[in-house]
Each structure stands twice: as C-alpha cells, then as structure tokens.
Amino acid sequence: MDGDRRARAERFVELHREGCFLLPNAWDVGSARILEAAGFPAVATTSAGIAFSLGRPDHDFFAEQGAEGRVDRETMMRRVREIVDEVGVPVSADLEEGYGEAPEAVAATISMALAAGAAGGNIEDFTGDRTRPLYDTALAVDRIRAARAAVDAGGEPFVLVGRTDALQIDASLDECVRRANAYLAAGADCAFVPGAADAATIGTLVRELDGPLNVVMGLTGNALSLEDLRALGVRRVTVGGSIARAMYRHLLGAARELAERGTFSYADDQLSQKELNDLFR
C-alpha cells in the first residue's frame, strides 16, 4: 500500500475510535465519486449493488439463486480495486461470507482486499444454505480469527468487521449478541448486525456488545435519523444496497414508461449533462 492509501486507511481506522459516522455504499466508480463529492469521509461497496450492475443476483439462498449465480470473488475484487483507484477517500469492501467456508479461504479474501487497497472489509456468517443459514459459531469464530491473522500479516491499517445475520433469519437477539461478541473477541474491530432497525433493539446491542456497532439503514425506510442513531451510541451507519435499489427503481420505471406508454416524462427528473460532466471532470 502506497503512502497515500496508507494515510487514507489510517483515517478510516480513526473514524471508528469515537462518535458516529455515515458510510454510504457505492457499486461502481461513478456512484463512489458522487458519494465522495457529497463530502462523505469514506465509502463502502455494496455487493448487492455490484451484483445488480453486472446483471446478477445478490448472494442469497442457493436453492433460490443457484450457487453458480453469484458474483465470484475475482470479479468482486476487480470492482473494489476500480473504486479504490478512482476516489480519494478510504474504501471499505463488502466481502460477503469471504467466498469460501474454510478459514483459509476467508484469509485469502482478506489478503486480496488488502492488495486491492481496501481500508476495511466485513465477513458475515450467512452460508446461503437454507438447511443451515448461519455457520456454526465455532467455525464462524475461526473464520474471523483467520481474517484477523491475515490483516495482521498484511501490516496495513484495516478495519475488520464481523457481521452476523442472526436477526435476518429470525434468531433471538441473545443469539445475535452472543455471536457478535464472539467475533469481536476473535479480532473483529466492529460488529455489524443487519436487521437491527428500531431504537429498542439497537439500544440493547449498543449496551450488550463489547465493541463498536454498525447498523444498516434504508432497507425498508426507517424513522430513525443519523442523530437518533448517534444518541443511541451507534458508531457506524451504512445503507447497503438501498441507493442502488432506488436507482434501479427509476430505471425500471423509465423502461416501463417507454415500453408500455411510449412517453418520456421520466426525463423530466434527470441530472443535466453539465452537472454530471462537472461531477466527473
């Protein structure tokens, strides 16, 4: 990692020391540069948004999606590197479940993310297998421990996030806390708990977890603001694939208007050529 990227990564680590910050999710260079231009101190990638931009489904249950339908690790890493190379802020990579069950596979993924210039990355415990949707806790912990070892071996600043999807599969909050704390103890710098969206659940997580908490907003819209989340003690807020999904909603609406009505009212609400040229110049 060159000096400039190292400085960015160090800034990213510092963002997790105290306070609360918003880390929006990009899916390509254009979206990342727009988020950077808006003034965010860092951006994350969204594996869902990247998959959609490639005409592929997001990582989901294999029975519905097909294991071969997901974006492979090399393709995802190329997109991460493209984004890192074209923005001046730190980039955290959505690394899904690490692209393999074995701890060694997770370690290799972390090493690839470091080589791509990422300043952080998350590893989740979702398997894609409906018969066992989460990795067994002992294995999940070993996977985080292997990720931590890969970070340490790389010798670069990097924020490792341990994500549990326990709430996403309707497991208890106690199970979620147990898993998140186990990942923090195994070397994660931050815990990520998608599905925690109300003040009571988030407040409990902040009190019960032994490290900083990341929550994701925008999955279905939410009454909580960034200030509300800051007051609850959340350290980091991401938005997952919600911006990408909103963009694709507009695209789908425009396509249907053209195909079904042959009208062009979608164009009344667009950025001008000059605005986009100025953003990307």
Side-chain angles (χ1 to χ4, degrees):
M1 187 178 287
D2 61 34
D4 181 58
R5 285 187 181 170
R6 172 179 276 274
R8 287 186 229 166
E10 289 171 345
R11 291 200 306 273
F12 191 59
V13 171
E14 287 302 313
L15 285 171
H16 295 76
R17 301 290 190 204
E18 59 182 1
C20 177
F21 72 102
L22 182 56
L23 180 68
N25 301 76
W27 58 94
D28 60 11
V29 171
S31 60
R33 291 188 63 184
I34 286 174
L35 293 171
E36 178 186 19
F40 292 102
V43 298
T45 65
T46 159
S47 61
I50 291 173
F52 301 152
S53 75
L54 295 167
R56 306 285 286 279
D58 187 24
H59 180 39
D60 202 348
F61 287 112
F62 297 147
E64 287 82 352
Q65 171 186 337
E68 73 285 350
R70 69 180 299 196
V71 177
D72 63 85
R73 180 169 63 181
E74 287 69 25
T75 301
M76 192 66 75
M77 289 299 177
R78 281 197 298 272
R79 183 62 61 86
V80 170
R81 183 183 292 277
E82 288 171 2
I83 293 171
V84 168
D85 287 346
E86 294 296 333
V87 297
V89 294
V91 175
S92 184
D94 181 348
L95 302 175
E96 299 188 324
E97 92 306 358
Y99 299 94
E101 177 172 329
E104 294 80 7
V106 175
T109 296
I110 291 292
S111 296
M112 292 174 71
L114 282 163
N122 58 278
I123 297 295
E124 63 195 49
D125 56 12
F126 176 71
T127 65
D129 182 349
R130 194 171 287 281
T131 64
R132 52 155 199 157
L134 301 181
Y135 288 113
D136 175 78
T137 302
L139 175 57
V141 167
D142 284 345
R143 287 157 42 82
I144 295 296
R145 191 174 289 119
R148 178 80 260 163
V151 171
D152 293 344
E156 302 290 352
F158 189 91
V159 176
L160 175 63
V161 179
R163 165 175 161 167
T164 178
D165 281 59
L167 292 182
Q168 301 283 72
I169 63 160
D170 297 323
S172 69
L173 186 56
D174 286 344
E175 172 70 4
C176 178
V177 169
R178 185 178 69 82
R179 281 177 171 267
N181 275 334
Y183 303 161
L184 289 164
D189 300 299
C190 182
F192 178 18
V193 186
D198 64 275
T201 300
I202 292 171
T204 298
L205 289 170
V206 169
R207 290 191 301 273
E208 297 295 327
L209 294 186
D210 300 325
L213 172 66
N214 180 107
V215 297
V216 58
M217 295 286 109
L219 297 183
T220 58
N222 197 280
L224 295 176
S225 68
L226 183 63
E227 286 305 312
D228 294 329
L229 296 166
R230 180 177 286 115
L232 286 167
V234 172
R235 183 61 46 83
R236 190 174 96 167
V237 181
T238 51
V239 297
S242 62
I243 303 176
R245 288 191 296 272
M247 293 281 291
Y248 279 105
R249 173 67 186 86
H250 287 295
L251 174 59
L252 182 60
R256 286 176 173 167
E257 179 186 354
L258 289 169
E260 297 169 8
R261 302 201 301 273
T263 57
F264 310 95
S265 65
Y266 73 88
D268 294 338
D269 186 23
Q270 63 176 303
L271 288 172
S272 71
Q273 187 85 353
K274 182 179 185 306
E275 285 176 298
L276 284 172
N277 280 345
D278 287 345
L279 275 169
F280 296 143
R281 202 177 304 281

